[in-house]
Amino acid sequence: MALRGARPALLLPLVLLVTGLALARGESRYEKFLRQHVDASDPSPPDARSYCNLLMRRRDMATAHKCKHLNTFIHSSANQIEPVCGDGGEPAGGDLRLSEDSFPLTVCELQGGSDPPDCDYSGSSSTSRIVIACVDGEPVHFETQMRRPHLYAVFKMWAYQGFI
């Protein structure tokens, strides 16, 4: 079914605007990945909610004009994550790679009724394998975490069939 109406016409300018803003920031895709997802400072924050509210603001994902709805922080260094793009990961469809090892994570989720500039996040910590997109051997996108490795076969099937 084809998209109709004015909404599809608005989608392209929106995508171009977001891309332009990222480029205007002077940030590569790899640098954006690091800013949005890598925090080696604390592998297990004692108060995930306070951690999320602080880091989402510090990393420019919760501002006076926007609140990112969901974000995952990986509590490891870039040097520990980058091998997932090579021997430390396995293909997961397209440019996606599934880590062989588990990583400590904090997932920050925007609370309902929370609007800029008052972005309010809940946080949950866990340890699991991750799925990231890699370009030229560098991570550029956090896709998901794999809490249940046995579901990896389903994930690979979806990737193979083009669903993700």
PDB file of all heavy atoms in Angstrom, residues 8-28:
ATOM      1  N   PRO A   8       3.897  11.840   3.580  1.00  0.00           N
ATOM      2  CA  PRO A   8       5.127  11.361   2.944  1.00  0.00           C
ATOM      3  C   PRO A   8       5.969  12.521   2.411  1.00  0.00           C
ATOM      4  O   PRO A   8       7.187  12.468   2.462  1.00  0.00           O
ATOM      5  CB  PRO A   8       4.632  10.473   1.809  1.00  0.00           C
ATOM      6  CG  PRO A   8       3.275  10.034   2.238  1.00  0.00           C
ATOM      7  CD  PRO A   8       2.719  11.195   3.022  1.00  0.00           C
ATOM      8  N   ALA A   9       5.314  13.573   1.928  1.00  0.00           N
ATOM      9  CA  ALA A   9       6.044  14.729   1.411  1.00  0.00           C
ATOM     10  C   ALA A   9       6.798  15.449   2.520  1.00  0.00           C
ATOM     11  O   ALA A   9       7.818  16.080   2.285  1.00  0.00           O
ATOM     12  CB  ALA A   9       5.081  15.685   0.709  1.00  0.00           C
ATOM     13  N   LEU A  10       6.307  15.346   3.749  1.00  0.00           N
ATOM     14  CA  LEU A  10       6.979  15.983   4.882  1.00  0.00           C
ATOM     15  C   LEU A  10       8.135  15.145   5.417  1.00  0.00           C
ATOM     16  O   LEU A  10       9.034  15.674   6.069  1.00  0.00           O
ATOM     17  CB  LEU A  10       5.978  16.247   6.011  1.00  0.00           C
ATOM     18  CG  LEU A  10       4.876  17.261   5.709  1.00  0.00           C
ATOM     19  CD1 LEU A  10       3.892  17.320   6.876  1.00  0.00           C
ATOM     20  CD2 LEU A  10       5.457  18.622   5.433  1.00  0.00           C
ATOM     21  N   LEU A  11       8.108  13.852   5.146  1.00  0.00           N
ATOM     22  CA  LEU A  11       9.123  12.957   5.681  1.00  0.00           C
ATOM     23  C   LEU A  11      10.516  13.252   5.121  1.00  0.00           C
ATOM     24  O   LEU A  11      11.480  13.330   5.874  1.00  0.00           O
ATOM     25  CB  LEU A  11       8.737  11.506   5.400  1.00  0.00           C
ATOM     26  CG  LEU A  11       9.631  10.445   6.026  1.00  0.00           C
ATOM     27  CD1 LEU A  11       9.656  10.607   7.542  1.00  0.00           C
ATOM     28  CD2 LEU A  11       9.141   9.060   5.656  1.00  0.00           C
ATOM     29  N   LEU A  12      10.635  13.444   3.824  1.00  0.00           N
ATOM     30  CA  LEU A  12      11.935  13.696   3.215  1.00  0.00           C
ATOM     31  C   LEU A  12      12.581  14.964   3.771  1.00  0.00           C
ATOM     32  O   LEU A  12      13.740  14.926   4.180  1.00  0.00           O
ATOM     33  CB  LEU A  12      11.829  13.757   1.689  1.00  0.00           C
ATOM     34  CG  LEU A  12      13.156  14.034   0.968  1.00  0.00           C
ATOM     35  CD1 LEU A  12      14.180  12.946   1.290  1.00  0.00           C
ATOM     36  CD2 LEU A  12      12.919  14.120  -0.530  1.00  0.00           C
ATOM     37  N   PRO A  13      11.872  16.092   3.832  1.00  0.00           N
ATOM     38  CA  PRO A  13      12.512  17.279   4.421  1.00  0.00           C
ATOM     39  C   PRO A  13      12.936  17.060   5.874  1.00  0.00           C
ATOM     40  O   PRO A  13      13.981  17.553   6.299  1.00  0.00           O
ATOM     41  CB  PRO A  13      11.435  18.359   4.327  1.00  0.00           C
ATOM     42  CG  PRO A  13      10.536  17.915   3.228  1.00  0.00           C
ATOM     43  CD  PRO A  13      10.572  16.415   3.266  1.00  0.00           C
ATOM     44  N   LEU A  14      12.157  16.294   6.623  1.00  0.00           N
ATOM     45  CA  LEU A  14      12.510  16.022   8.016  1.00  0.00           C
ATOM     46  C   LEU A  14      13.795  15.202   8.092  1.00  0.00           C
ATOM     47  O   LEU A  14      14.696  15.512   8.877  1.00  0.00           O
ATOM     48  CB  LEU A  14      11.375  15.282   8.715  1.00  0.00           C
ATOM     49  CG  LEU A  14      11.619  14.910  10.173  1.00  0.00           C
ATOM     50  CD1 LEU A  14      11.821  16.174  11.012  1.00  0.00           C
ATOM     51  CD2 LEU A  14      10.457  14.106  10.707  1.00  0.00           C
ATOM     52  N   VAL A  15      13.911  14.167   7.259  1.00  0.00           N
ATOM     53  CA  VAL A  15      15.125  13.352   7.232  1.00  0.00           C
ATOM     54  C   VAL A  15      16.320  14.201   6.831  1.00  0.00           C
ATOM     55  O   VAL A  15      17.397  14.119   7.428  1.00  0.00           O
ATOM     56  CB  VAL A  15      14.954  12.146   6.278  1.00  0.00           C
ATOM     57  CG1 VAL A  15      16.278  11.446   6.029  1.00  0.00           C
ATOM     58  CG2 VAL A  15      13.928  11.171   6.844  1.00  0.00           C
ATOM     59  N   LEU A  16      16.152  15.037   5.834  1.00  0.00           N
ATOM     60  CA  LEU A  16      17.239  15.911   5.396  1.00  0.00           C
ATOM     61  C   LEU A  16      17.635  16.901   6.479  1.00  0.00           C
ATOM     62  O   LEU A  16      18.818  17.185   6.670  1.00  0.00           O
ATOM     63  CB  LEU A  16      16.853  16.650   4.111  1.00  0.00           C
ATOM     64  CG  LEU A  16      16.683  15.764   2.874  1.00  0.00           C
ATOM     65  CD1 LEU A  16      16.168  16.583   1.706  1.00  0.00           C
ATOM     66  CD2 LEU A  16      17.985  15.067   2.527  1.00  0.00           C
ATOM     67  N   LEU A  17      16.658  17.420   7.217  1.00  0.00           N
ATOM     68  CA  LEU A  17      16.938  18.347   8.306  1.00  0.00           C
ATOM     69  C   LEU A  17      17.761  17.671   9.394  1.00  0.00           C
ATOM     70  O   LEU A  17      18.768  18.213   9.856  1.00  0.00           O
ATOM     71  CB  LEU A  17      15.640  18.900   8.902  1.00  0.00           C
ATOM     72  CG  LEU A  17      15.797  19.784  10.140  1.00  0.00           C
ATOM     73  CD1 LEU A  17      16.549  21.063   9.781  1.00  0.00           C
ATOM     74  CD2 LEU A  17      14.448  20.100  10.734  1.00  0.00           C
ATOM     75  N   VAL A  18      17.357  16.469   9.808  1.00  0.00           N
ATOM     76  CA  VAL A  18      18.082  15.743  10.855  1.00  0.00           C
ATOM     77  C   VAL A  18      19.501  15.439  10.390  1.00  0.00           C
ATOM     78  O   VAL A  18      20.460  15.612  11.139  1.00  0.00           O
ATOM     79  CB  VAL A  18      17.315  14.452  11.240  1.00  0.00           C
ATOM     80  CG1 VAL A  18      18.162  13.567  12.121  1.00  0.00           C
ATOM     81  CG2 VAL A  18      16.005  14.810  11.919  1.00  0.00           C
ATOM     82  N   THR A  19      19.653  14.992   9.149  1.00  0.00           N
ATOM     83  CA  THR A  19      20.979  14.714   8.610  1.00  0.00           C
ATOM     84  C   THR A  19      21.821  15.983   8.571  1.00  0.00           C
ATOM     85  O   THR A  19      22.990  15.972   8.958  1.00  0.00           O
ATOM     86  CB  THR A  19      20.866  14.118   7.188  1.00  0.00           C
ATOM     87  OG1 THR A  19      20.067  12.943   7.253  1.00  0.00           O
ATOM     88  CG2 THR A  19      22.229  13.777   6.624  1.00  0.00           C
ATOM     89  N   GLY A  20      21.212  17.072   8.145  1.00  0.00           N
ATOM     90  CA  GLY A  20      21.924  18.350   8.089  1.00  0.00           C
ATOM     91  C   GLY A  20      22.375  18.817   9.453  1.00  0.00           C
ATOM     92  O   GLY A  20      23.481  19.331   9.615  1.00  0.00           O
ATOM     93  N   LEU A  21      21.525  18.636  10.463  1.00  0.00           N
ATOM     94  CA  LEU A  21      21.897  19.042  11.814  1.00  0.00           C
ATOM     95  C   LEU A  21      23.081  18.231  12.331  1.00  0.00           C
ATOM     96  O   LEU A  21      23.975  18.771  12.985  1.00  0.00           O
ATOM     97  CB  LEU A  21      20.704  18.912  12.762  1.00  0.00           C
ATOM     98  CG  LEU A  21      19.579  19.913  12.542  1.00  0.00           C
ATOM     99  CD1 LEU A  21      18.390  19.585  13.447  1.00  0.00           C
ATOM    100  CD2 LEU A  21      20.057  21.332  12.786  1.00  0.00           C
ATOM    101  N   ALA A  22      23.095  16.944  12.037  1.00  0.00           N
ATOM    102  CA  ALA A  22      24.218  16.105  12.469  1.00  0.00           C
ATOM    103  C   ALA A  22      25.499  16.546  11.783  1.00  0.00           C
ATOM    104  O   ALA A  22      26.560  16.630  12.403  1.00  0.00           O
ATOM    105  CB  ALA A  22      23.933  14.634  12.180  1.00  0.00           C
ATOM    106  N   LEU A  23      25.408  16.857  10.490  1.00  0.00           N
ATOM    107  CA  LEU A  23      26.586  17.316   9.770  1.00  0.00           C
ATOM    108  C   LEU A  23      27.029  18.693  10.243  1.00  0.00           C
ATOM    109  O   LEU A  23      28.217  18.973  10.347  1.00  0.00           O
ATOM    110  CB  LEU A  23      26.315  17.324   8.258  1.00  0.00           C
ATOM    111  CG  LEU A  23      26.110  15.949   7.621  1.00  0.00           C
ATOM    112  CD1 LEU A  23      25.696  16.107   6.167  1.00  0.00           C
ATOM    113  CD2 LEU A  23      27.355  15.096   7.745  1.00  0.00           C
ATOM    114  N   ALA A  24      26.070  19.568  10.531  1.00  0.00           N
ATOM    115  CA  ALA A  24      26.393  20.907  11.006  1.00  0.00           C
ATOM    116  C   ALA A  24      27.122  20.844  12.339  1.00  0.00           C
ATOM    117  O   ALA A  24      27.937  21.701  12.660  1.00  0.00           O
ATOM    118  CB  ALA A  24      25.126  21.743  11.132  1.00  0.00           C
ATOM    119  N   ARG A  25      26.834  19.852  13.109  1.00  0.00           N
ATOM    120  CA  ARG A  25      27.489  19.672  14.403  1.00  0.00           C
ATOM    121  C   ARG A  25      28.946  19.289  14.205  1.00  0.00           C
ATOM    122  O   ARG A  25      29.743  19.367  15.126  1.00  0.00           O
ATOM    123  CB  ARG A  25      26.721  18.607  15.191  1.00  0.00           C
ATOM    124  CG  ARG A  25      27.200  18.409  16.571  1.00  0.00           C
ATOM    125  CD  ARG A  25      26.426  17.272  17.236  1.00  0.00           C
ATOM    126  NE  ARG A  25      26.810  17.185  18.611  1.00  0.00           N
ATOM    127  CZ  ARG A  25      26.054  17.555  19.630  1.00  0.00           C
ATOM    128  NH1 ARG A  25      24.847  17.995  19.407  1.00  0.00           N
ATOM    129  NH2 ARG A  25      26.486  17.457  20.850  1.00  0.00           N
ATOM    130  N   GLY A  26      29.312  18.860  12.993  1.00  0.00           N
ATOM    131  CA  GLY A  26      30.675  18.457  12.716  1.00  0.00           C
ATOM    132  C   GLY A  26      31.014  17.110  13.326  1.00  0.00           C
ATOM    133  O   GLY A  26      32.151  16.850  13.679  1.00  0.00           O
ATOM    134  N   GLU A  27      30.024  16.249  13.428  1.00  0.00           N
ATOM    135  CA  GLU A  27      30.162  14.980  14.131  1.00  0.00           C
ATOM    136  C   GLU A  27      30.008  13.835  13.130  1.00  0.00           C
ATOM    137  O   GLU A  27      29.027  13.778  12.402  1.00  0.00           O
ATOM    138  CB  GLU A  27      29.044  14.947  15.177  1.00  0.00           C
ATOM    139  CG  GLU A  27      29.031  13.811  16.118  1.00  0.00           C
ATOM    140  CD  GLU A  27      27.931  14.004  17.170  1.00  0.00           C
ATOM    141  OE1 GLU A  27      26.748  14.128  16.801  1.00  0.00           O
ATOM    142  OE2 GLU A  27      28.269  14.028  18.345  1.00  0.00           O
ATOM    143  N   SER A  28      30.977  12.934  13.104  1.00  0.00           N
ATOM    144  CA  SER A  28      30.853  11.749  12.245  1.00  0.00           C
ATOM    145  C   SER A  28      29.841  10.788  12.873  1.00  0.00           C
ATOM    146  O   SER A  28      29.462  10.934  14.041  1.00  0.00           O
ATOM    147  CB  SER A  28      32.206  11.048  12.108  1.00  0.00           C
ATOM    148  OG  SER A  28      32.567  10.433  13.341  1.00  0.00           O
TER     149      SER A  28
END
